[in-house]
């Protein structure tokens, strides 16, 4: 009997196409409803995986990520998406951020809005894993073969 996965990851997506791409990697998966939110649970290699599709908008992402983290107590939480705001990436490319900017933050004053962007850095281990994966080609085998991928890259 195979050993049960010991690590847990929560994956947050915004769009149906993103959720389906993640679920394709899980093999058989089940639904679990937590406070009205549907999570899709499965395994990937030696990881327990919980996926939630939140729709567009940062408020929904924050609320449901908090719900997922509180319930599943993951070792890692990721937002996985199409990166619609990024330039110079194409279908099939993978981007691992070294920095994430919360550009919406700020203060509304009598003279106008004063932006106060927030900056978070990615975990060192995540950045190192992404750099190591750039040296390999096996990740391309996980892409949907029905979609047209020119020459996917990992950034």
């Amino acid at each position: 009997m195979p050993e049960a996965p010991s690590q847990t990851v929560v994956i947050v997506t915004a769009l149906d196409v993103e959720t389906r791409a993640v679920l394709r990697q899980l093999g058989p998966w089940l639904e679990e409803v937590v406070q009205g939110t549907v999570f899709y649970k499965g395994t990937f290699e030696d990881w327990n995986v919980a996926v939630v599709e939140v729709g567009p908008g940062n408020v929904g992402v924050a609320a449901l990520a908090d719900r997922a983290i509180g319930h599943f107590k993951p070792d890692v939480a990721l937002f996985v998406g199409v990166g619609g705001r990024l330039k110079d990436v194409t279908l099939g490319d993978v981007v691992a951020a070294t920095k994430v900017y919360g550009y919406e933050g700020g203060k509304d004053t009598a003279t106008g809005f004063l932006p106060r962007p927030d900056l978070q850095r990615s975990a060192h281990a995540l950045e190192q894993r992404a750099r190591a994966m750039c040296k390999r080609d096996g990740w391309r085998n996980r892409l949907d073969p029905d979609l047209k991928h020119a020459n996917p890259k990992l950034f």
Side-chain angles (χ1 to χ4, degrees), residues 104-116:
E104 303 90 352
K107 182 177 182 180
D108 193 17
T109 68
T111 59
F113 184 76
L114 300 174
R116 292 185 181 166

Side-chain angles (χ1 to χ4, degrees), residues 15 17 21 24 28 38 40 43 45 49-51 59 65 82 84 88 91 97 100 113 119 129:
L15 306 174
V17 66
R24 260 196 330 274
V38 177
Y40 307 98
T43 59
E45 295 181 2
V49 180
V51 183
V59 174
V82 295
D88 301 323
L91 184 62
V100 178
F113 184 76
L119 168 69
R129 177 55 41 210

Side-chain angles (χ1 to χ4, degrees), residues 41-64:
K41 289 178 39 181
T43 59
F44 177 78
E45 295 181 2
D46 60 344
W47 289 82
N48 288 308
V49 180
V51 183
V52 62
E53 182 180 318
V54 300
N58 292 340
V59 174
V61 169
L64 294 183

Side-chain angles (χ1 to χ4, degrees), residues 114-143:
L114 300 174
R116 292 185 181 166
D118 186 25
L119 168 69
Q120 298 292 320
R121 296 198 177 274
S122 295
H124 174 72
L126 172 66
E127 188 176 335
Q128 287 295 299
R129 177 55 41 210
R131 289 177 187 281
M133 292 306 296
C134 285
K135 291 16 172 215
R136 302 175 184 267
D137 290 327
W139 63 270
R140 288 183 177 95
N141 298 331
R142 297 186 191 277
L143 297 173

Side-chain angles (χ1 to χ4, degrees), residues 5-59:
S6 60
Q7 300 178 90
T8 300
V9 61
V10 164
I11 298 177
V12 179
T13 65
L15 306 174
D16 176 69
V17 66
E18 299 162 348
T19 306
R20 289 177 185 275
V22 173
L23 294 177
R24 260 196 330 274
Q25 304 303 319
L26 300 186
W29 47 267
L30 303 169
E31 291 183 11
E32 180 178 335
V33 179
V34 177
Q35 298 176 356
T37 302
V38 177
F39 289 90
Y40 307 98
K41 289 178 39 181
T43 59
F44 177 78
E45 295 181 2
D46 60 344
W47 289 82
N48 288 308
V49 180
V51 183
V52 62
E53 182 180 318
V54 300
N58 292 340
V59 174

